[in-house]
Every structure is written in structure tokens, then in C-alpha cells.
């Protein structure tokens, strides 16, 4: 593994900071949505790309966070407490479910997480007195970090930008920590790590819980952003969309999933304003990516980058030729 | 709840379980043999019921429409397998995304053509009566569905255990490579099984039409229940699908009456308990889990 140059992180921060200068008011709103989704999709990218746990129920944690903020927010209007509660609730949920699910792997894990997400969806859908059922629920809590309610789009954009940057750096630190490295070792060769004396399940559980907490955080932010929540946030359709965002962006990288989220949210906004047939178009994109995608946007970008600047990095180039990179996302490509 | 009401709910649950069995059986075999988690399997159910609706609207009659619908859905399955799935065998994540994308497309196409308001199929004439079971009255059509389900279970059991095709499938679930090493054209087997599973799901859709109605979204409901059944029953076995489907069907139906908010949670709890005790499902073979 190479260490990413520091300047790349700085570029990221600068881009986030100057973006509002280029954006309209609507663009700012979209930007906030992209960043919130990016946090969520990054959390999913973490368990898929670094722990090899492919979940189709990750929306459960996002939705749990959103519902926590909304439901407790009816009684207690303190942003810090609410966001912490969102992280805590989804973290506990992820820990308990992970404890039960991580015994399984592959397709079984996928089906179980899917059923788990649908169970929460069904509960939110049916418990109308509390959750508002299918009609959803308005979010009453206001976003206030102690300096008065934040209601301008620009300020909220910066809030989400800071949240995104913080989540990103947290994950960056996590994956280069000894713990993170062990997790990647497990993904690459679980039996070897077991033989070396690692309790692989516990390591996976830690990552899964961390990922759930981050998804819950994104969900909490989302309820402030959208001011309305519905059971759709827990639905497997949403989980599936997050999954495709990870793939579109690039599995096994940190920023890739975030870029995938941006690509998808913007595309959906753009296409939805022209046609109601977004699901068909999205489905076709799924199929096209599976059949023709080669490891996601981030791989294409870095490929072009390498071509333009002729940076000789044979390892990386070798990898681009190795199929789609979805299953074979080994080390070496951590943008 | 009186004994009669309970029996009625049990029978309703059994009828629902039979519909689920027809889907889960295909899903389970496709998963066990081809190692494909087909998230578009609920789509076959959806296609089955809407295509039958189309033909019935054109005065083809229930039974002919059913036959035509099954054939169309099976062809759809063949096309899906040959044109798309075949290119991603062995790549789990790609298969999931591919079939997931297809289910999006088909659900939206159905919405486009038939709109979002729920429709229903008419109960075929002759079966649109209530049967007197001696101690209670019960719709004849639901009894018919239960009988079809049981007959199908026997047929599939016979096929699985007593015929050459069944032996091939059992061998394939245990060791795919060995099956092709024995000179069996595994590609043809895959296509046939996929088409068969699709056709079964289509049949389930048509039979379920008069009971459950049809609406966009029923495909994912059915799919999730079937996935739970496959996990409970174990993959690649029709017996597992049968027992699992009856369990889920009955619990789901009783749950809707007794504790509507937590039906799904109940079913899920059963799945967790089964997984904790038997990670491969009740009747699962092999070490896939």
C-alpha cells in the first residue's frame, strides 16, 4: 500500500470549500444531498471493499438514524444529542445484527441483511401511531449547533461538507490503523488470518458496527436535510441503490463510493426532471455497469490520470486489466 | 379466536404457503445449482400475473391464459439467462446487481403499462364457489391452490429423488465441476433449470392473482419471503422450500391477524433461530453458508 499524498486530501478540502461559489441555491441543496449520501455510501463501501461483507440491508442503519432524530426530535430539540442518539441507536443495531449475521458470508449474508432491512421497513410501515406509517413523518427538530437555528442552504452545505470531510478522514485513519490493516488482511485471506491467531469475526464485527454508526449519522443528517422521512429510507431498494453507488464509484477505495453517490444523486435529479421512468433508466445503468463497467469511475479516472501524466505504476495498470475489479478489488488502488 | 376461525386462517396460510413454495422452490434450486441469487425472481411472479391478466382480458379464459403466461415467463427466463446471466457466472456481486437492475426495469415497465392501482384476476369459473368442509365453509379456489401445491411438491420430490434429471441436479448442487466433468452439458442444465424456475414462479403468479391481487411492489414482497424461505429451508432442496414455505405462509397469515405490526419480525426471528441452530438451513446440504 502506498500512502496517498497529502495534497490530494487538501485538494478535496479546497474543492468542498469553494464549491458554493459555483453553485446556485438549488445546486447547494443538491450538494448537501450528495454529501449526505456520500457519507452513507462510504460507510457501505467500507464493509464491502475492506471487509468483504456485501450487505443489501444497509439502508436499515441509515433509516434507523433518520427515525431516531425524527422521533426523539419531537420531544427534545438538541442537535448534538439527537445526532449522537442516531449514531448510538444504529451502532447498537449494527452490533447486535452483526453478532448474529457475521457467521454467514457471501450470498447468505446478503439475503439475511436484506431480510433484516425489510423487517425494519415493515415495522416502520405498520406502526402508524409512532412512525406515521406509509405517509411518513415531518421532522420537527431544527438544526442548531448552539449558534441559532441553521436554515440557510449555504450554512447547511458547509455543515454537511464538514461532516463528510470528518467521516472521510476518520475512515482514512481507520483503514491505515493496525485494526484496519487486520481487517483488510481478513478480506484477502481469512483462513490465513485465522491461522495467525486473529479472531476474524470480532474484527468484522467492529467494522460492521463502525459502518452502521456512520450510516446512522448520515441518516440523522438526512432527516434535518429533508425535513420529512418515510419508510422508503429503510427499503431494500434504497440499500440496492447504495450498493450500485459503491460499485459505480469503485470497490475497495474510500473516495470511490462517495464519487458514485455524487454521480447517482445528480443523475437522478437531472433525469427525474425530464421523465418519470427513472427506475427503468437506473435499471439499465445497473445492467450496463455490470456488463461493461471496469471497476468504477475512480478506476477510469485514475487510468486517465496515469495516461495523461505517464506515471509508471505497473501494479496499478495490471489491475485495470483484471476484469471488473468488483470481486477482485485487491490492494493497490486506494484513491 | 374460535377453532373454526383458526382453521380458516391456517388454511389461508397454507394456500399462501403453497404460492410461496412454487417461487421458493425455483429460487432455491437456481441458487443451489447455479449459485445465483436471483433478485429478479419476484419479477417472474409479477410478469406471470400481469401477462395472465392481459390474456384473460382478451377472452382467452383462465386456464389457457395461465398456460400462455407460464410459457411467456419461461421464455423470459431463458432470454435472461442466455443473454445476461451467462456472462456473469461465478461473479456473485455482479449477479446480484444485474438481477436487481432487471427487477427495477420490469417493475417499472409493468407500472408504465398497467398503472399503479391494484388489479385482480377473476377466480376461474367452476372454482368460484365455497366448499362445505363439513365443519366450515371455505373458498373452493383456495383448496384447489393447496392441492396443486401439494401435487407439485410430490412431483418435484419424485423428480429430485427418482429420476435421472433429479440425480443430475442433486449432484450439481453438491459439486458443479464434477457434474460437467461427467460429460453433462451444464450450460443446457442451467438454462433448463432457470426456465423451469421462472415458469414455476409464473404459475404461482397466475394462481395467486385471484387471491392476492396484483400491484407493483408485490414482486419484492414475494421475493423477500422466498429468500427467507430459502434460508430457513436450506438451499438446493425442494423439501426445504416446501416446509419453509408452509412455515412462513402460516406465520405470515396468522401474524397479520394477531400482531400486524410484527409479522415480518416474527418471520425474521424464525429465520435467525434456524440459522443459529443450523447455519445451512433445516434441510440444506453442502457447506455453502
Amino acid at each position: 500500500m502506498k500512502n496517498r499524498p497529502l495534497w490530494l486530501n487538501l485538494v478535496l478540502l479546497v474543492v468542498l470549500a469553494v464549491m458554493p461559489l459555483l453553485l446556485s441555491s438549488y445546486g447547494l441543496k443538491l450538494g448537501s444531498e450528495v454529501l449526505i449520501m456520500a457519507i452513507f455510501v462510504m460507510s457501505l463501501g467500507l464493509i464491502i471493499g475492506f471487509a468483504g461483507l456485501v450487505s443489501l440491508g444497509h439502508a436499515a442503519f441509515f433509516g434507523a438514524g433518520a427515525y431516531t432524530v425524527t422521533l426523539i426530535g419531537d420531544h427534545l430539540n438538541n442537535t448534538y444529542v439527537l445526532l449522537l442518539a442516531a449514531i448510538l441507536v444504529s451502532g447498537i443495531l449494527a452490533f447486535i445484527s452483526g453478532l448474529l449475521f457475521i457467521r454467514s458470508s457471501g450470498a447468505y449474508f446478503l439475503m439475511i441483511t436484506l431480510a433484516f432491512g425489510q423487517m425494519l421497513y415493515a415495522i416502520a410501515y405498520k406502526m402508524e401511531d409512532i412512525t406515521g406509517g406509509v405517509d411518513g413523518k415531518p421532522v420537527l427538530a431544527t438544526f442548531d449547533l448552539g449558534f441559532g437555528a441553521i436554515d440557510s442552504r449555504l450554512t447547511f452545505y458547509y455543515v454537511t461538507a464538514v461532516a463528510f470531510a470528518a467521516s472521510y478522514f476518520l475512515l482514512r485513519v481507520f483503514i491505515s490503523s493496525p485494526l484496519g490493516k487486520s481487517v483488510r488482511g481478513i478480506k484477502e485471506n481469512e483462513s490465513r488470518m485465522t491461522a495467525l491467531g486473529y479472531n476474524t469475526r470480532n474484527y468484522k464485527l467492529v467494522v460492521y458496527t463502525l459502518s452502521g454508526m456512520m450510516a446512522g449519522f448520515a441518516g440523522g443528517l438526512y432527516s434535518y436535510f429533508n425535513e420529512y422521512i418515510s419508510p422508503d429510507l429503510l427499503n431494500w431498494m434504497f440499500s440496492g441503490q447504495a450498493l450500485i453507488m459503491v460499485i459505480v464509484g469503485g470497490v475497495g477505495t474510500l473516495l470511490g463510493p462517495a464519487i458514485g453517490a455524487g454521480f447517482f444523486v445528480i443523475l437522478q435529479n437531472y433525469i427525474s426532471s425530464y421523465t418519470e421512468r427513472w427506475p427503468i433508466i437506473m435499471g439499465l445503468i445497473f445492467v450496463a455497469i455490470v456488463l461493461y463497467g471496469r471497476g468504477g469511475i475512480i478506476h477510469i479516472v485514475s487510468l486517465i490520470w496515469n495516461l495523461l501524466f505517464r506515471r509508471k505504476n505497473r501494479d496499478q495498470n495490471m489491475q485495470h486489466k483484471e476484469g471488473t475489479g468488483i470481486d477482485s478489488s485487491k490492494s493497490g488502488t486506494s484513491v | 379466536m374460535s377453532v373454526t376461525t383458526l382453521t380458516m386462517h391456517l388454511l389461508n396460510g397454507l394456500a399462501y404457503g403453497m404460492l410461496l413454495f412454487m417461487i421458493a422452490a425455483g429460487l432455491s434450486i437456481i441458487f443451489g445449482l447455479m449459485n445465483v441469487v436471483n433478485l429478479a425472481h419476484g419479477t417472474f411472479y409479477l410478469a406471470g400475473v400481469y401477462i395472465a391478466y392481459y390474456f384473460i382480458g382478451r377472452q382467452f379464459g383462465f386456464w389457457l391464459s395461465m398456460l400462455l403466461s407460464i410459457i411467456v415467463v419461461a421464455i423470459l427466463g431463458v432470454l435472461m439467462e442466455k443473454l445476461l446471466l451467462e456472462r456473469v457466472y461465478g461473479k456473485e456481486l455482479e449477479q446480484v446487481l444485474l438481477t436487481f437492475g432487471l427487477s427495477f426495469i420490469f417493475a417499472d415497465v409493468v407500472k408504465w403499462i398497467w398503472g399503479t392501482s391494484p388489479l385482480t384476476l377473476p377466480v376461474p369459473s367452476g372454482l368460484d364457489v365455497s366448499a362445505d368442509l363439513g365443519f366450515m365453509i371455505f373458498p373452493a379456489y383456495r383448496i384447489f391452490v393447496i392441492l396443486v401445491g401439494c401435487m407439485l411438491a410430490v412431483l418435484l420430490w419424485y423428480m429430485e429423488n427418482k429420476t435421472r434429471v433429479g440425480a443430475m441436479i442433486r449432484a450439481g448442487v453438491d459439486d458443479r465441476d464434477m457434474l460437467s466433468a461427467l460429460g453433462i452439458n451444464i450450460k443446457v442444465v442451467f438454462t433448463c433449470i432457470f426456465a423451469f424456475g421462472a415458469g414455476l414462479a409464473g404459475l404461482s403468479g397466475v394462481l395467486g392473482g385471484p387471491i392476492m391481487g396484483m400491484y407493483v411492489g408485490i414482486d419484492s414482497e414475494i421475493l423477500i419471503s422466498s429468500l427467507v424461505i430459502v434460508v430457513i429451508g436450506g438451499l438446493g432442496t425442494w423439501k426445504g422450500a416446501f416446509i419453509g414455505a408452509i412455515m412462513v405462509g402460516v406465520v405470515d397469515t396468522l401474524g397479520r391477524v394477531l400482531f400486524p405490526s410484527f409479522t415480518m419480525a416474527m418471520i425474521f426471528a424464525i429465520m435467525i433461530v434456524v440459522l443459529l441452530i443450523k447455519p445451512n438451513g433445516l434441510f440444506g446440504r453442502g457447506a455453502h453458508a
Side-chain angles (χ1 to χ4, degrees):
Chain A
M1 294 306 300
K2 309 174 288 133
N3 277 321
R4 252 326 101 169
L6 186 67
W7 61 265
L8 201 77
N9 293 335
L10 289 175
V11 167
L12 180 74
L13 284 180
V14 171
V15 167
L16 283 177
V18 299
M19 255 331 232
L21 299 175
L22 309 168
L23 292 173
S24 63
S25 171
Y26 177 72
L28 277 178
K29 186 165 183 270
L30 199 60
S32 298
E33 190 177 352
V34 165
L35 289 170
I36 293 171
M37 281 307 290
I39 299 174
F40 173 46
V41 177
M42 232 164 32
S43 76
L44 181 62
L46 175 73
I47 54 169
I48 296 178
F50 295 93
L53 295 165
V54 182
S55 161
L56 201 44
H58 214 56
F61 306 123
F62 185 88
Y67 271 96
T68 305
V69 166
T70 308
L71 296 179
I72 302 180
D74 283 354
H75 311 287
L76 177 90
N77 192 358
N78 182 325
T79 306
Y80 292 107
V81 173
L82 288 179
L83 284 178
L84 272 179
I87 295 172
L88 202 66
V89 167
S90 31
I92 291 171
L93 216 53
F95 179 78
I96 295 173
S97 60
L99 208 58
L100 294 168
F101 304 160
I102 284 174
R103 305 156 46 94
S104 332
S105 60
Y108 261 90
F109 183 76
L110 188 121
M111 291 196 290
I112 297 164
T113 50
L114 170 58
F116 174 69
Q118 283 309 100
M119 178 191 76
L120 290 189
Y121 169 74
I123 292 176
Y125 190 96
K126 294 274 172 58
M127 286 181 50
E128 284 172 8
D129 334 340
I130 301 170
T131 61
V134 66
D135 295 330
K137 205 170 167 15
V139 180
L140 300 180
T142 45
F143 201 84
D144 184 347
L145 293 174
F147 327 105
I150 291 175
D151 42 15
S152 97
R153 283 182 173 175
L154 181 65
T155 327
F156 195 74
Y157 169 85
Y158 277 115
V159 168
T160 52
V162 169
F164 171 75
S167 309
Y168 171 69
F169 288 115
L170 180 77
L171 287 188
R172 179 134 302 288
V173 170
F174 174 77
I175 57 165
S176 24
S177 71
L179 182 65
K181 282 181 179 154
S182 317
V183 169
R184 295 161 79 164
I186 291 167
K187 186 193 175 231
E188 271 158 40
N189 191 336
E190 180 154 2
S191 15
R192 188 204 292 158
M193 293 302 275
T194 313
L196 285 173
Y198 285 87
N199 187 337
T200 56
R201 261 188 216 164
N202 288 353
Y203 281 86
K204 286 186 188 173
L205 187 58
V206 170
V207 184
Y208 193 68
T209 309
L210 176 70
S211 166
M213 288 162 81
M214 195 166 273
F217 175 57
L221 283 178
Y222 184 81
S223 48
Y224 282 115
F225 165 78
N226 205 38
E227 295 174 338
Y228 162 80
I229 56 163
S230 76
D232 287 344
L233 296 182
L234 295 156
N235 196 283
W236 71 299
M237 294 283 169
F238 189 45
S239 301
Q241 285 174 27
L243 186 57
I244 197 81
M245 290 178 201
V246 173
I247 311 296
V248 169
V251 176
T253 67
L254 266 192
L255 264 191
I259 293 173
F263 172 77
F264 242 80
V265 172
I266 292 167
L267 191 71
Q268 176 168 17
N269 254 275
Y270 187 70
I271 292 177
S272 303
S273 59
Y274 288 100
T275 169
E276 281 178 21
R277 299 272 79 91
W278 163 247
I280 291 187
I281 293 166
M282 182 166 63
L284 290 174
I285 295 175
F286 274 42
V287 173
I289 286 167
V290 167
L291 296 182
Y292 305 108
R294 289 286 179 271
I297 296 173
I298 202 150
H299 292 256
I300 297 169
V301 170
S302 61
L303 201 69
I304 294 170
W305 179 268
N306 286 345
L307 276 177
L308 283 180
F309 296 89
R310 297 199 180 151
R311 296 201 327 187
K312 294 221 170 79
N313 191 333
R314 288 210 352 256
D315 293 344
Q316 265 192 334
N317 284 335
M318 293 277 282
Q319 265 218 330
H320 294 303
K321 287 164 192 156
E322 253 179 32
T324 63
I326 289 181
D327 283 329
S328 61
S329 52
K330 304 260 162 45
S331 57
T333 45
S334 75
V335 179
Chain B
M1 190 186 281
S2 72
V3 177
T4 319
T5 345
L6 184 68
T7 320
M8 191 187 76
H9 289 314
L10 282 177
L11 282 176
N12 277 335
L14 208 55
Y16 180 49
M18 291 305 160
L19 295 174
L20 288 177
F21 162 62
M22 295 173 208
I23 303 179
L27 195 66
S28 169
I29 293 299
I30 289 173
F31 184 19
L33 186 67
M34 302 158 69
N35 211 8
V36 171
V37 182
N38 182 19
L39 295 181
H41 212 66
T43 300
F44 294 140
Y45 179 97
L46 191 73
V49 62
Y50 275 96
I51 291 169
Y53 179 81
Y54 171 84
F55 283 121
I56 288 173
R58 301 275 172 298
Q59 309 302 327
F60 277 80
F62 188 88
W63 304 113
L64 185 58
S65 302
M66 181 169 101
L67 192 66
L68 288 171
S69 177
I70 293 170
I71 293 171
V72 173
V73 174
I75 292 173
L76 193 69
V78 171
L79 290 178
M80 200 188 277
E81 199 268 342
K82 277 277 142 206
L83 296 179
L84 298 170
L85 266 181
E86 206 181 66
R87 302 168 64 168
V88 291
Y89 280 139
K91 299 177 191 159
E92 214 164 67
L93 195 50
E94 272 105 329
Q95 292 164 357
V96 167
L97 290 169
L98 185 70
T99 53
F100 189 62
L102 288 173
S103 76
F104 262 75
I105 296 174
F106 281 107
D108 208 41
V109 167
V110 165
K111 203 160 135 190
W112 200 353
I113 302 177
W114 284 284
T116 44
S117 41
L119 302 165
T120 177
L121 286 187
V123 177
S125 57
L127 290 170
D128 50 356
V129 291
S130 288
D132 192 346
L133 299 179
F135 59 98
M136 65 179 291
I137 309 281
F138 196 72
Y141 181 72
R142 293 185 183 211
I143 295 176
F144 168 74
V145 169
I146 295 175
L147 289 178
V148 171
C150 290
M151 272 157 50
L152 208 62
V154 173
L155 190 76
L156 290 180
W157 172 83
Y158 181 81
M159 253 179 72
E160 185 179 14
N161 291 297
K162 306 285 175 193
T163 65
R164 199 178 131 73
V165 177
M168 267 156 57
I169 291 173
R170 274 180 291 142
V173 171
D174 288 341
D175 191 338
R176 227 162 310 159
D177 299 333
M178 188 51 97
L179 188 65
S180 50
L182 288 172
I184 288 162
N185 189 338
I186 196 124
K187 276 189 168 183
V188 175
V189 175
F190 278 12
T191 309
C192 291
I193 284 296
F194 202 79
F196 185 71
L200 263 184
L203 169 70
S204 173
V206 183
L207 288 178
I211 300 178
M212 321 239 311
M214 47 189 168
Y215 46 90
V216 173
I218 198 172
D219 50 342
S220 51
E221 274 174 39
I222 292 274
L223 175 75
I224 306 288
S225 300
S226 313
L227 287 178
V228 170
I229 290 167
V230 171
V231 173
I232 290 178
L235 54 91
T237 134
W238 281 322
K239 188 165 75 178
F242 189 67
I243 306 290
I246 290 177
M247 276 166 73
V248 170
V250 169
V251 171
D252 189 85
T253 309
L254 281 180
R256 275 167 208 267
V257 182
L258 298 174
F259 33 83
S261 298
F262 296 100
T263 314
M264 190 68 199
M266 267 298 288
I267 294 175
F268 187 74
I270 296 177
M271 183 179 95
I272 292 294
V273 171
V274 168
L275 270 183
L276 289 178
I277 301 167
K278 299 197 74 170
N280 284 334
L282 290 177
F283 303 98
R285 44 165 128 239
H288 290 266

